[in-house]
Structures are given as structure tokens and as C-alpha cells.
Amino acid sequence: TSQEEPVKRKKLQVTTEEERALGAVPLALYSHYFRSARSPLLLSSAVGAVVASYGATIVQQWFIGLWTADTTMQRGLAYYMSGVVFWGVVASALTFGRALLIAAFSRRASRAVHDQLCDKVLVQASTSHFDRNPSSRLLQNFSKDLEQIDTSLPGSLRSASSSICTLAGAMFTIILATPSFSFLLPPLTWIYMKSLQYYRPVARELK
């Protein structure tokens, strides 16, 4: 009968609906990505290069401030010019080294994650898994996830490291200039974290 046909089609349907993970990315996943590179030396070198490049930029700005404060030019023009150029070259070299180290670390981690995905999706997966998921869906998700890991994640790491260093430097400077600001820091941090809880889901859904 016509009422039994949809029931039979539902029973014969093998392909399942595509599932989608919701919520924030767990910290364990980030930890797995960092551990996949299997190079603590490379990771520590990249972190050190990030901090050093930011420190060199601060020193250059401090040198420029020292130059502008010396209205009588007691140390001479050559002293300030050479200092600004020197720290500018150091900052540029460290920034270039930071980019190379982050790229090398991301390459190692991406290769390890690619091998693990290939092993679990293409080798260890059962036949029923391929029956429930069409090959087009597997290829699309596989290529999309790897593209995010290879291109978007390294850029996000660079942006996050720069933002953390900039924020830490600004907080340190403000507290050093105005010690009473340290009492306002905890409530401001709480407000920022609460605002972030509303912003992240919206930004994630828009992407």
C-alpha cells in the first residue's frame, strides 16, 4: 500500500544524516595538535621567537621615545639613528624567524594529523562506515578539515600569539605606570570573559 512504502524506504535507507559537532573546541584537541608535531624544541623555539620579536619591537619604540625626550641631543644623532636601525633590523629578523618556526611546527603537526586521519578514516574504518557515509561526503569533509588545519590554524596561531603578547605588554605598561589599575583588572577580566562567551558562538556560526 501507499502507507507502507515510506516505511519500507526508511528501513532500506543505509546512508545516515551528516553529524555536526557543536560548541567550543575542547582544549584536549588543541593539546593533541601541539603534541602531534612531536618536537618540544621547535615549539619552545617558536614561543621564544614570538616573545623575543615583541620585546625587540618594544625596545625600538623605547629607543625612539628616548630620542624624542633628548631635546638637547647630548648623545648625538648617530647614536639614536644607529640604535633605531639596529633594533629595527633585530625585530624584523626575529619576526621572520618567528614566521619560519611557526610554519615548520605547523607543517610537522599537519603531516601527523593527516596520517592519523588517513589511518582512521581510510584504513581502520569498517565497511558499514562507508555504507552510511557517501564517498563524496568523506572526501569533502576530509579535504575541508585538512585545509583548515594547513592554512587557517597556523594563521590563527600567529594572530593569537601576537594578540597575547600585545595584551600582556599593554597590561604590564599600564600597571607599571598606574599601580592602582591592578585592582580594576579582575573585574575587567571577568567582563571580558563573559562577553567572549556571547561573541564566540556568533562568530563560529557566521563562519
Side-chain angles (χ1 to χ4, degrees), residues 2 12 20 27 47 56 66 91 107 122 137 139 143 152 159 202:
S2 60
L12 294 175
R20 179 187 174 200
L27 294 177
V47 173
L66 189 66
R107 177 177 174 272
L122 302 179
R137 179 192 299 175
L139 291 175
S143 58
S152 300
S159 300
V202 175

Side-chain angles (χ1 to χ4, degrees), residues 2-111:
S2 60
Q3 295 180 352
E4 294 178 352
E5 289 181 358
V7 177
K8 291 182 179 179
R9 290 178 181 177
K10 189 174 182 180
K11 290 182 179 179
L12 294 175
Q13 184 179 4
V14 179
T15 304
T16 59
E17 295 183 1
E18 185 176 3
E19 297 180 357
R20 179 187 174 200
L22 300 175
V25 179
L27 294 177
L29 196 58
Y30 288 107
S31 176
H32 177 74
Y33 175 78
F34 286 113
R35 287 186 284 107
S36 297
R38 297 179 182 177
S39 180
L41 179 61
L42 188 59
L43 177 60
S44 59
S45 299
V47 173
V50 170
V51 176
S53 62
Y54 185 75
T57 303
I58 292 177
V59 173
Q60 186 190 27
Q61 294 174 355
W62 171 80
F63 213 89
I64 294 174
L66 189 66
W67 184 2
T68 56
D70 189 4
T71 56
T72 59
M73 298 295 290
Q74 295 179 357
R75 296 183 177 89
L77 181 62
Y79 172 79
Y80 292 111
M81 286 292 294
S82 59
V84 171
V85 171
F86 172 77
W87 287 109
V89 171
V90 170
S92 300
L94 289 173
T95 302
F96 180 71
R98 177 191 66 184
L100 286 180
L101 289 172
I102 292 178
F105 178 83
S106 301
R107 177 177 174 272
R108 288 177 61 94
S110 298
R111 177 179 292 182

